[in-house]
């Protein structure tokens, strides 16, 4: 076994009592422990004379104990140890709470380093609960004072002090044996700190600039591994076989001409990129990104048409049944003149548009639909993740389209594209993902780095006239008045309830019901109010959507997650409760749901937090109307969780944090490219290859 993989239970230097506690922190091997990096540092390297201490300043002093005693507080609830210490410049009072044993360790005449914050209390200025270390002639290292002290994320019962105490001897003993996984030439070219020095400096830095260099090195290393992983996947994909699907220019032209509008330049460009990708003979892996309403569906329809006319089938996966049905109907409309069989696979009845009856929708049994799909008689099959089921077989699947791709797991995605591998020769279908979630640049280069990205920046119908207002809780009346005004004009409104952590649909349902009660009984008793949440059946949901579209519902109270992509052109108001729980980019997506008819609309936000920062963050929605810009702010303020899911813990912490640093990400990417171009299988870098395979095992993009 490799040294670093040694379980901490077998390391005799670690006191027994610590082992369980480390386990709780998820530290089980020597490597885990050595690579448990501090969150920040406290600089106690300079000794401050007592006379120069400032109130609220954190500092380290060197002083002699003049007096020390325990006293009981008058309520006898606890014991205070108080001491007077002095240096050449003055005397300072020290108090410790509830540590009576201190009088046994600290004696008058002892010399101490004391590190703490100068507080100003009724009893004058003093140090409360400072960390101290006794100065003795034998002692060579001080871990907690008179140095740059590492501060770790602390959990209930394990303090930074303990971690320092446990780590130091281990680092002394093992740092020299940690192998360097980064190639020498990179260390040289980028002047990175070598691992054996860096591992020491990141924990017990000799200077702050060294600490920074050490951290930089490990951040680089993690991003570099991430890039190697993602780029290898990307290049590996080029070695796979996919059907060559050529652009049928005449048909494409005819399609474009048949549309009731002309395509935007971005749509044309994206469509062309897709068509070019699909003729290459290796699988397309493209992400089509564009704000809500940017017109992704028509691009998908064009790619589907071209695929079908090359005699290959298309699978189009949507996150919900309602959306699947909406896409099915849109495709029917766009493709009505092109002689195609389009099927809709749902949990209930299944539908088919047949070439013979292009204007009709025919109900057929699931069994027949699946048979027809298997025989290759269905050109385009639309559905939810039901498309992944084992029993869904295609004859010649050429293209997989996934709408709102972030709502599917990567495994679900992989499943759908892997299916046809053995069926008809050995090939993978092309993959087109679509998303309205803007992807900050650093993420496009890392976790999405295996995908090519097409952007739809232009909004076909021009920018929407949506006014965004962040309200304070006191302005509720105003917001309700606005809603009423719009409804009196014949418009409709959405009220979105706060998202519940952990996606607990039961609690969510309760919140929605309460809001519904409140609005329908107290605020708008005279209006028609509907309700939509995840616990409803598909039939119930469909009925609500229908009622909404027909205007039978004036205000829809809904959870945030149920129906992405619903299209109700008459809706001109959306009120979001608990807006602080959402990312700005996500709120921007909600905003895209209103004003689709081109009318002036209102996006109203309430937050449950009284924090100034939260308010400021939400306020930026009033000014910024660019999804990508908002996404970059989210990344900075909230971290990458909004974009890659909270559960993607496989990515090491430092890499997660460094996903903000575009320069470092680019450097890591360039370096990874360089090495893969030279040596794709990393034959000359066995340690790196090994580290990468470990990384692969730990990383799980879901
Ligand atoms: P999204 O990108 O949010 O999926 P859709 O594809 O649903 O957007 O398109 C939104 C609306 O805009 C649809 O009604 C669609 O028909 C329409 N649309 C798409 N492209 C154009 C265009 N170039 N000009 C005018 N309208 C368009
Ligand atoms: Mg869409």
């Amino acid at each position: 076994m490799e040294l670093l993989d040694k379980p901490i239970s077998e390391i005799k230097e670690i006191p027994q009592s610590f082992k369980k506690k480390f386990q709780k922190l998820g530290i089980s091997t020597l490597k885990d422990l050595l690579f448990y990096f501090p969150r920040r540092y406290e600089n106690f390297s300079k000794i401050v004379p007592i006379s120069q201490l400032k109130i609220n300043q954190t500092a380290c002093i060197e002083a002699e104990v003049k007096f020390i005693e325990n006293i009981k507080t008058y309520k006898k609830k606890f014991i205070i140890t108080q001491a007077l210490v002095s240096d050449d410049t003055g005397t300072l009072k020290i108090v410790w709470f509830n540590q009576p044993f201190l009088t046994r360790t600290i004696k008058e005449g002892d010399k101490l380093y004391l590190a703490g914050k100068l507080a100003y209390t009724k009893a004058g200025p003093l140090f409360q609960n400072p960390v101290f270390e006794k100065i003795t002639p034998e002692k060579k290292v001080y871990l907690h004072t008179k140095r740059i002290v590492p501060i770790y994320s602390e959990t209930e019962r394990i303090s930074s002090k303990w971690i320092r105490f446990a780590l130091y001897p281990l680092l002394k003993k093992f740092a020299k044996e940690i192998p360097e996984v980064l190639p020498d030439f990179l260390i040289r070219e980028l002047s990175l700190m070598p691992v054996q020095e860096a591992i020491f400096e990141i924990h017990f830095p000799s200077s702050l600039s060294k600490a920074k260099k050490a951290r930089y090195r490990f951040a680089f290393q993690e991003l570099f591994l991430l890039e190697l992983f993602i780029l290898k996947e990307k290049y590996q994909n080029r070695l796979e076989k996919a059907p060559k699907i050529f652009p049928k220019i005449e048909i494409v032209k005819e399609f474009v001409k048949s549309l009731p509008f002309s395509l935007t330049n971005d749509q044309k460009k994206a469509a062309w990129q897709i068509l070019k990708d699909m003729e290459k003979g290796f699988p397309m892996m493209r992400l089509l990104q564009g704000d809500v309403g940017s017109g992704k569906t028509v691009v998908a329809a064009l790619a589907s048409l071209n695929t079908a006319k090359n005699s290959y089938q298309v699978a189009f996966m949507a996150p919900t049944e309602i959306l699947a049905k909406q896409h099915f109907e849109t495709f029917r409309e766009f493709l009505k003149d092109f002689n195609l069989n389009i099927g809709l696979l749902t949990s209930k009845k299944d539908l088919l548009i047949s070439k013979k009856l292009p204007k009709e929708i025919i109900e057929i049994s699931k069994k027949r639909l699946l048979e027809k799909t298997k025989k290759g008689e269905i050109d385009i099959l639309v559905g939810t993740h039901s498309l992944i089921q084992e029993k869904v077989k295609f004859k010649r699947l050429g293209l997989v389209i996934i709408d709102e791709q972030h709502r599917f797991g990567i495994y679900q995605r992989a499943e759908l594209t892997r299916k046809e591998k053995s069926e008809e020769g050995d090939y993978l279908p092309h993959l087109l993902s679509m998303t309205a979630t803007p992807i900050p640049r650093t993420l496009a280069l890392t976790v999405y780095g295996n995908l090519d990205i097409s952007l739809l920046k232009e909004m076909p119908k021009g920018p929407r006239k949506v006014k965004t207002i962040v309200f304070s809780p006191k302005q509720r009346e105003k917001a309700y008045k606005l809603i009423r005004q719009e409804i009196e004009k014949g418009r409709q409104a959405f009220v979105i309830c706060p998202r519940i952590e952990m996606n607990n649909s039961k609690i969510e349902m309760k919140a929605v019901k309460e809001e519904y009660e409140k609005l329908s009984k107290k605020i708008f008793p005279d209006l028609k109010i509907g309700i939509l949440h995840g616990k409803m059946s598909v039939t119930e949901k469909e009925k609500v959507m229908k009622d909404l579209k027909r205007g039978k519902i004036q205000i829809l109270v809904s959870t945030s997650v149920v129906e992405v992509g619903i299209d109700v052109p008459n809706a001109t108001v959306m009120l979001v409760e608990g807006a602080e729980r959402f990312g700005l980019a996500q709120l921007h997506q909600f905003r895209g749901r209103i004003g689709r008819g081109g009318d002036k609309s209102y996006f109203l936000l309430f937050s449950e937090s009284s924090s100034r920062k939260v308010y400021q963050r939400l306020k930026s929605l009033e000014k910024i109307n660019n999804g990508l810009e908002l996404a970059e702010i989210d990344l900075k303020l909230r971290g990458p969780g909004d974009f890659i899911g909270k559960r993607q813990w496989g990515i090491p912490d430092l890499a997660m944090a460094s996903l903000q640093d575009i320069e470092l990400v680019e450097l890591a990417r360039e370096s990874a490219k360089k090495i893969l171009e030279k040596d794709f299988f990393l034959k000359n870098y066995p340690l790196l290859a090994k580290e990468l395979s470990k990384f692969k095992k730990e990383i799980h993009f879901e």
Side-chain angles (χ1 to χ4, degrees):
M1 185 173 40
E2 225 184 297
L3 171 78
L4 288 173
D5 296 332
K6 206 165 166 165
I8 51 170
S9 57
E10 288 173 26
I11 300 172
K12 58 180 191 316
E13 284 86 351
I14 301 178
Q16 203 55 40
S17 61
F18 282 35
K19 287 179 178 166
K20 272 213 186 91
K21 291 180 179 173
F22 279 140
Q23 222 96 47
K24 273 202 183 140
L25 284 176
I27 295 172
S28 54
T29 64
L30 179 57
K31 176 171 176 187
D32 294 340
L33 184 53
L34 298 184
F35 284 71
Y36 187 73
F37 296 146
R39 217 155 34 86
R40 60 185 183 89
Y41 304 94
E42 205 70 83
N43 191 352
F44 292 139
S45 51
K46 226 174 102 206
I47 297 297
V48 179
I50 290 177
S51 64
Q52 284 177 25
L53 286 174
K54 294 186 190 76
I55 301 295
N56 282 332
Q57 181 195 9
T58 310
C60 185
I61 61 170
E62 179 179 349
E64 190 180 311
V65 181
K66 295 293 179 193
F67 169 80
I68 184 162
E69 66 167 2
N70 283 333
I71 53 168
K72 282 192 183 138
T73 57
Y74 69 99
K75 280 181 185 157
K76 297 201 177 154
K77 285 259 172 60
F78 56 87
I79 291 174
I80 294 177
T81 306
Q82 55 178 12
L84 284 177
V85 302
S86 56
D87 63 10
D88 295 344
T89 70
T91 300
L92 182 68
K93 186 172 173 180
I94 314 283
V95 296
W96 284 281
F97 299 114
N98 259 346
Q99 300 178 57
F101 50 86
L102 286 180
T103 50
R104 268 178 275 140
T105 24
I106 305 173
K107 298 286 176 204
E108 282 154 28
D110 280 350
K111 288 221 163 78
L112 306 178
Y113 291 125
L114 291 142
K117 190 173 182 180
L118 190 70
Y120 196 84
T121 71
K122 269 184 260 169
L126 50 78
F127 263 10
Q128 280 174 348
N129 294 317
V131 182
F132 72 92
E133 281 178 292
K134 236 192 249 193
I135 304 171
T136 59
E138 311 85 71
K139 202 156 166 179
K140 293 205 180 59
V141 263
Y142 295 88
L143 294 182
H144 317 295
T145 58
K146 195 168 187 281
R147 68 167 320 119
I148 297 168
V149 174
I151 312 289
Y152 300 87
S153 321
E154 301 185 7
T155 52
E156 330 116 61
R157 289 162 72 217
I158 192 146
S159 69
S160 283
K161 201 171 167 184
W162 281 6
I163 296 175
R164 276 174 233 142
F165 180 73
L167 255 176
Y168 188 81
L170 293 173
L171 280 170
K172 270 274 170 222
K173 184 157 178 197
F174 296 115
K176 289 272 166 310
E177 299 179 46
I178 297 176
E180 180 60 81
V181 297
L182 293 179
D184 281 346
F185 80 92
L186 278 182
I187 302 237
R188 258 182 287 115
E189 278 175 22
L190 307 177
S191 351
L192 298 171
M193 189 183 274
V195 69
Q196 295 165 2
E197 184 187 353
I199 195 81
F200 221 100
E201 291 288 350
I202 199 166
H203 289 290
F204 295 101
S206 50
S207 70
L208 284 177
S209 71
K210 286 254 168 114
K212 210 170 149 194
K213 272 201 94 175
R215 197 166 274 273
Y216 181 84
R217 178 237 140 84
F218 287 116
F220 174 84
Q221 175 173 335
E222 289 178 0
L223 285 177
F224 176 65
L225 284 167
L226 186 58
E227 289 296 348
L228 279 178
F229 168 77
I230 212 91
L231 285 173
K232 266 196 106 145
E233 202 157 69
K234 179 169 184 155
Y235 296 148
Q236 209 104 45
N237 179 61
R238 294 187 181 168
L239 306 175
E240 301 282 351
K241 248 178 73 180
K244 285 190 178 167
I245 292 174
F246 296 98
K248 300 242 175 201
I249 301 293
E250 284 314 310
I251 292 174
V252 168
K253 275 190 181 155
E254 209 180 306
F255 172 77
V256 173
K257 239 170 56 195
S258 76
L259 292 170
F261 45 75
S262 48
L263 293 178
T264 64
N265 285 328
D266 285 348
Q267 282 172 322
K268 283 184 205 160
K269 193 171 149 203
W272 188 242
Q273 285 171 328
I274 292 165
L275 294 181
K276 290 314 265 179
D277 278 358
M278 291 179 69
E279 66 176 7
K280 277 184 189 140
F282 64 83
M284 165 170 77
M285 298 252 279
R286 189 166 283 279
L287 182 64
L288 180 59
Q289 196 268 310
D291 273 8
V292 176
S294 60
K296 297 182 285 292
T297 321
V298 68
V299 177
L302 186 150
S304 303
L305 172 65
N306 190 62
T307 305
K309 292 301 175 190
N310 274 270
S311 308
Y312 280 96
Q313 291 168 287
V314 179
F316 186 177
M317 187 158 85
T320 67
E321 296 221 343
I322 291 178
L323 265 182
K325 189 150 177 227
Q326 200 172 292
H327 283 322
F328 172 73
E329 279 160 7
T330 308
F331 267 42
R332 170 170 91 122
E333 186 53 36
F334 281 147
L335 299 171
K336 59 180 181 292
D337 301 330
F338 291 90
N339 205 22
L340 298 176
N341 282 330
I342 305 175
L344 175 67
L345 185 70
T346 68
S347 61
K348 312 178 298 177
K349 55 186 188 228
D350 294 302
L351 304 174
L352 172 70
I353 302 163
S354 139
K355 342 183 170 195
K356 285 180 220 123
L357 296 159
K359 301 251 159 23
E360 308 278 321
I361 294 183
I362 310 161
E363 258 183 54
I364 66 173
S365 71
K366 192 164 294 332
K367 192 159 161 267
R368 285 239 3 246
L369 183 59
L370 291 178
E371 270 169 21
K372 279 174 160 298
T373 305
K374 194 173 169 187
K375 279 198 226 147
E377 287 169 18
I378 300 292
D379 299 295
I380 301 169
L381 186 63
V382 185
T384 57
H385 43 267
S386 59
L387 294 181
I388 306 172
Q389 297 166 87
E390 198 50 46
K391 58 179 191 230
V392 183
K393 294 236 158 46
F394 292 85
K395 185 163 181 246
R396 283 158 67 81
L397 182 60
L399 171 64
V400 170
I401 303 175
I402 303 181
D403 194 21
E404 304 296 343
Q405 62 91 30
H406 62 282
R407 302 201 66 196
F408 293 100
I410 210 167
Y411 292 124
Q412 283 176 314
R413 274 177 264 160
E415 198 115 12
L416 195 54
T417 46
R418 199 176 297 131
K419 276 202 101 169
E420 297 313 300
K421 211 181 164 185
S422 53
E423 165 100 351
E424 148 107 355
D426 236 22
Y427 73 83
L428 284 167
H430 297 283
L431 174 67
L432 177 64
S433 290
M434 305 200 285
T435 184
T437 309
I439 299 162
R441 186 154 161 68
T442 50
L443 299 182
L445 291 177
T446 51
V447 286
Y448 291 104
N450 57 336
L451 302 176
D452 297 302
I453 300 181
S454 296
L455 267 181
L456 302 183
K457 278 194 223 142
E458 242 170 301
M459 295 298 272
K461 294 172 183 165
R464 294 223 182 99
K465 289 170 256 162
V466 181
K467 188 172 168 60
T468 299
I469 309 171
V470 184
F471 283 112
S472 76
K474 284 191 211 112
Q475 296 173 301
R476 228 159 236 291
E477 288 308 313
K478 242 178 164 171
Y480 290 145
K481 213 171 130 197
L482 240 167
I483 293 182
R484 189 174 280 283
Q485 268 172 17
E486 284 300 300
I487 289 182
E488 277 166 6
K489 279 193 240 159
R491 305 287 178 235
Q492 288 163 290
F494 292 106
V495 173
I496 306 292
C497 295
R499 173 168 56 189
I500 309 296
E501 292 307 321
M502 320 290 288
N503 279 336
N504 187 329
S505 54
K506 242 194 187 150
I507 304 180
E508 221 158 49
M509 174 182 71
K510 198 167 154 262
V512 175
K513 280 189 173 159
E514 277 171 16
E515 185 71 22
Y516 173 79
E517 292 291 309
K518 181 178 119 190
L519 293 180
S520 58
K521 297 228 167 92
K522 295 207 186 105
I523 319 275
F524 304 113
D526 53 325
L527 300 182
K528 290 172 279 183
I529 302 189
I531 179 167
L532 190 68
H533 58 74
K535 284 260 155 183
M536 288 160 67
S537 73
V538 176
T539 323
E540 287 173 311
K541 281 188 205 163
E542 271 182 354
K543 179 160 185 321
V544 171
M545 292 311 299
K546 242 184 220 152
D547 288 349
L548 189 66
K549 282 200 174 177
R550 288 192 193 136
K552 278 194 182 167
I553 291 174
Q554 291 169 302
I555 301 176
L556 181 67
V557 183
S558 163
T559 50
S560 60
V561 282
V562 216
E563 294 311 325
V564 283
I566 40 175
D567 192 4
V568 184
N570 191 42
T572 55
V573 194
M574 182 182 281
L575 183 153
V576 182
E577 297 284 353
E580 78 282 4
R581 303 201 198 177
F582 301 102
L584 297 176
Q586 200 182 359
L587 289 167
H588 179 67
Q589 281 186 51
F590 292 163
R591 177 159 68 181
R593 306 264 164 253
I594 49 171
R596 296 181 83 124
D599 298 299
K600 172 144 204 216
S601 303
Y602 300 91
F603 187 56
L604 316 175
L605 303 173
F606 281 97
S607 103
E608 286 163 8
S609 151
S610 53
S611 134
R612 182 91 204 138
K613 259 194 194 152
V614 167
Y615 182 72
Q616 287 304 344
R617 184 170 76 86
L618 292 175
K619 267 299 214 203
S620 48
L621 276 164
E622 290 183 356
K623 286 165 263 156
I624 303 172
N625 197 24
N626 174 323
L628 190 60
E629 218 175 297
L630 293 167
E632 297 282 1
I633 299 177
D634 279 338
L635 179 64
K636 213 182 260 155
L637 297 182
R638 286 162 60 98
D642 283 358
F643 307 97
I644 55 181
K646 299 258 187 273
R647 283 173 296 157
Q648 297 180 318
W649 292 126
I651 302 175
D653 294 350
L654 259 184
M656 283 290 262
S658 313
L659 287 178
Q660 324 249 6
D661 185 343
I662 183 73
E663 272 173 43
L664 190 58
V665 166
E666 278 174 348
L667 187 64
R669 189 170 178 89
E670 285 317 305
S671 309
K673 263 190 187 158
K674 215 187 228 174
I675 202 160
L676 289 177
E677 274 161 21
K678 271 205 288 201
D679 183 359
F680 189 75
F681 296 101
L682 304 176
K683 284 205 183 94
N684 295 314
Y685 304 95
L687 280 175
L688 184 61
K690 209 160 145 211
E691 193 67 18
L692 183 63
S693 71
K694 261 194 244 162
F695 188 82
K696 258 187 195 166
K697 257 183 247 150
E698 278 160 29
I699 209 154
H700 43 86
F701 275 102
E702 229 49 54

